[in-house]
Structures are given as C-alpha cells and as structure tokens.
C-alpha cells in the first residue's frame, strides 16, 4: 500500500477498535486505490479518503418492545448515514443477532461504492438491529418494527435517507415499518422505504432483483469470455431472497443448481434442486431447508453448511452472508475446477479466499458489482414513486439488465485503464470511488 492508504487504514483501525468487518471492507477498497492516488494527488490534498471512511452521521438507539408473554424486551437499533455525495443515503436494514456497529459500518461502506456503480443518484447508508426475527410471532415482529420506526422516523425521508430490506427484513417488515412511518408523519411518502408491497407503491421485480441481477452480470462476463451458462453446474449458498432468485434465473438460462443451504446445513440434490419446494419451505412457511428431505428423501443433507464448497461445480454463488467462504472453501472449489464465483451476499469471501481465487485465474465478480441489482431496482422503485407511476415487469427487468451490463462494462474498462485488466474487484472499487470522490471534490469540504 502507498503511504496515503496505509495511513488512512491505520487511522480507521485505531479509531474503530474491534470492528473487524469494517476494517476488512475498508482494506479491500483501499488496496485497489493506490494507482488512482499516484495519478491524482488532488484526492489526497483534499482529504477525500479521511472523509470517506468516517460516516457523516451514526445513530444508535434503544428499541423497547413487549413480547407475547408480556415481558419487556430491549434491542439496539442502528442507522449509519455514511455518504450523501451522490444522493440521499440509501441502503437496507438488517435484523440479526450478529448486528453491531462493525457490521453496519462495513455494509454502509460497501453500499457507497455499490450505489455509485448503479449510476443512480443514491448515497450510501445502512442500518438494522440485533433483534432476531427467528421464532418470533407476527405480532412480536410488528411491535418491534413499530418501536424501531418510532425512533428511526425522525432521521429518514424520501430525500434524506431511504432504508430497505436486508437479512431478516423482507416484505412483512417493510410493511410494518411503513405503516408506522405514515402514522407518525401523517404523510404518504412512498419513496421513504423501498421493497414495499406491490399494491402500495412497491416495484415489480424488486423481490427478484438481487438474484436476477447477479445472474445478468455473470452471464455478461461469461459471454465476454466466450462462455455461457448452458449446462453449467451451480452451487448456491443461502436460501433467502437472493439465493432463491439467483437459482430461478440461472435455471431459466440453462444451468442446473445442485445445492443450497441455510444457517443449519446444506442440501445436495444431484438431479437439480426443486425450487418451488424451496420457495414453499422458505417464503411461505419460514421453515428450515432440511424439510426438503420429506419430499425428496434421496437428496443429501449435511449440518456442516460451510462444507457446501466441497461440492463439484462450475459456478459458485455465495448468497448467504459475510465471510461464509474462507480459503479452505475456495481451495476446494479451485481443486474441483470452478470457472466463476459471483458474490450474491455482501463480502461473502474472506480476504484470503479472494486472493486465492484471483491467483488461480477464477473469474470473480465482487459483491459491489454482483449484488447491485437489488439497490438499483430500489432506485427504480423511487423513480416510480416520484413519478406517481407503476412500470410493467418487463420495463423494470430490462432496465435492471441494462444496469448490470453497464456495471460489468464500466468495472472492466476502468480496471484495464489502471493496468489491472480482468480484475473486476479493483475495477469496481476504482469506478465507484472516482464517482463519489469527484462529487465530494465538487461539493467542497463537507
Ligand atoms: N440490502 C440490499 C443491499 O445490500 C439492498 C439495499 C436497498 O435496496 O436499499 O444492497
């Protein structure tokens, strides 16, 4: 690393002790920016990096609620408004017991560059809570969401900060959050949240968007290298929204998904996973992936979910959570001849895994580019809300495809320009950085 990036990374580590995921996300971006600072001293002269790594605003709040037994529960709520150079803060809310400042900051930091890559006017932010929706009743989830929004409402707005879903936050939670926001503000401000229901301001394709977008960019990359998805064997970790719709699109395009997982274990079905059954288990019943065996007893199930990467495949799509693939997992994929890895989740590969994958010539699409389809379609939802309009499925889907192809083209062009041809991760970091940094330069020291 150059002096500048090294100095800023050290400052981040000193100033944010213990926030290891945030350190990892910052290091990954800063490492690729050295060629930029060599060419452009103005960024260092204007303290762009020092400002970029410090969130504009961090909100931490108490979320009290009463459970079904009448007991008072207290969770911690977060909203980190990281960067508004390109537009209102934009990014999801994550409800998961692992959520703390380090996770929200890593996600918010990633979101700045991801959102810049979409080409839409959205800044970066993220939020959430250590609340665990697993095993909670509908009523408990509703009371929690109402309490969470009672505080959050004063900080957000359709031109200020626009939250959406992430792990543990889907259509149900967005509904409860929106209802409470409307009640507090007495305003039908549709564009204050995205991922809304289709009858009340939501956009077609938003549910499918992250998974579909991942496959669109993957397809583009394969096409550019004279390859295709046809007859490829695919392993997808996770079985949430991203994993399900990545499976759907990759299958439509001729590939076969042989494995999926949840936080209890993974499923291997060599004849191809029955996606309709997974949807029923996960989307309708909120159940465990293991229940698949009740209908397909010949499928295999293992509780060692991280071992999913030992399955022989052409393409691996980690769509579960951060750091789910380490160097051991990556090495197994490489030994089995994997061609491409696309990050459906945010930062699913550890730094060691990324290095190994790159060193072994595996095509790698980083999360900032690969999973940007979700937030891009959120921006399309905001556009429709602002226009008082509703677009057709095809119109939104075509727009999403265009955005994903552009992200691929832009990241590969920028990588080549900086002497890093084929390194999409560096290309995505540099392209995202340049857009945000130039806006920050234009807007002065703020
Ligand atoms: N949580 C998603 C992400 O990681 C979507 C955010 C949004 O739609 O605002 O990008």
């Amino acid at each position: 690393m150059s002096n500048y990036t090294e100095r800023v990374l050290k400052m981040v580590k000193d100033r944010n002790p213990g926030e290891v995921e945030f350190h990892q996300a910052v290091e990954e971006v800063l490492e690729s920016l050295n060629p930029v600072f060599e060419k452009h001293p103005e960024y260092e002269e204007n303290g762009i990096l020092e400002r970029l790594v410090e969130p504009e605003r961090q909100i931490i709040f108490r979320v009290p609620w009463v459970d079904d037994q009448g007991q008072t529960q207290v969770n911690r709520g977060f909203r980190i408004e990281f960067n508004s150079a390109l537009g209102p803060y934009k990014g999801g809310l994550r409800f998961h017991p692992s959520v703390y400042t380090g996770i929200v900051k890593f996600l918010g930091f990633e979101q700045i560059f991801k959102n810049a890559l979409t080409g839409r006017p959205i800044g970066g932010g993220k939020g959430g809570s250590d609340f665990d929706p697993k095993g909670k009743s509908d009523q408990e989830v509703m009371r929690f969401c109402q309490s969470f929004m009672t505080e959050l409402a004063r900080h957000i707005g359709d031109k200020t900060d626009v939250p959406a879903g992430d792990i543990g936050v889907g259509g149900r939670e967005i509904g409860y959050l929106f209802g409470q926001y409307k009640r507090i503000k007495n305003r039908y401000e549709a564009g204050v949240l995205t991922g809304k229901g289709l009858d009340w301001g939501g956009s077609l394709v938003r549910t499918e968007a992250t998974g579909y977008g991942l496959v669109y960019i993957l397809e583009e990359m394969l096409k550019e290298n004279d390859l295709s998805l046809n007859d490829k064997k695919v392993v997808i970790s996770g079985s949430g929204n991203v994993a399900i719709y990545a499976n759907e699109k990759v299958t439509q395009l001729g590939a076969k998904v042989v494995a999926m997982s949840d936080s209890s274990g993974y499923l291997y079905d060599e004849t191809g996973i029955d996606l309709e059954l997974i949807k029923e288990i996960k989307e309708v019943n909120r159940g465990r992936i293991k229940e698949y065996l009740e209908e397909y007893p010949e499928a295999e199930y293992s509780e060692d979910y991280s071992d999913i990467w030992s399955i022989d495949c052409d393409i691996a799509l980690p769509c579960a959570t951060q750091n789910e693939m380490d160097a051991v997992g990556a090495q197994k994929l490489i030994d089995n001849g994997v061609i491409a890895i696309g990050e459906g989740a945010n930062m699913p590969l550890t730094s060691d895994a990324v290095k190994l994958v790159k060193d072994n010539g595996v095509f790698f699409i980083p999360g900032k580019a690969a999973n940007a389809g979700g937030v891009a379609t959120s921006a399309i939802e905001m556009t429709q809300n602002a226009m008082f309009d509703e677009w057709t499925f095809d119109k939104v889907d075509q727009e999403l495809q265009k955005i994903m192809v552009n992200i691929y083209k832009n990241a590969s062009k920028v990588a080549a320009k900086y002497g890093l041809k084929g390194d999409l991760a560096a290309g995505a970091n540099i392209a995202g950085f340049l857009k945000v940094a130039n806006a920050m330069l234009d807007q002065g020291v703020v």
Side-chain angles (χ1 to χ4, degrees), residues 111-129:
Q111 202 83 44
I112 303 170
F113 306 97
K114 184 197 310 193
N115 293 4
L117 286 170
T118 67
R120 302 279 148 162
I122 41 179
K126 202 84 184 192
S129 173

Side-chain angles (χ1 to χ4, degrees), residues 90-92 111 114 126 162 164-166 194 206 346 371 374-375 378:
K90 180 84 195 87
Q111 202 83 44
K114 184 197 310 193
K126 202 84 184 192
V162 182
D166 195 81
T194 58
R206 178 62 190 89
N346 289 309
N371 70 45
V375 75
S378 278

Side-chain angles (χ1 to χ4, degrees), residues 50-70:
E50 291 87 335
R51 285 190 275 149
L52 200 53
V53 297
E54 184 66 18
E56 290 177 19
R57 189 176 297 109
Q58 307 187 50
I59 304 145
I60 303 182
F61 51 99
R62 178 171 69 195
V63 190
W65 56 283
V66 178
D67 68 18
D68 286 347
Q69 282 69 50

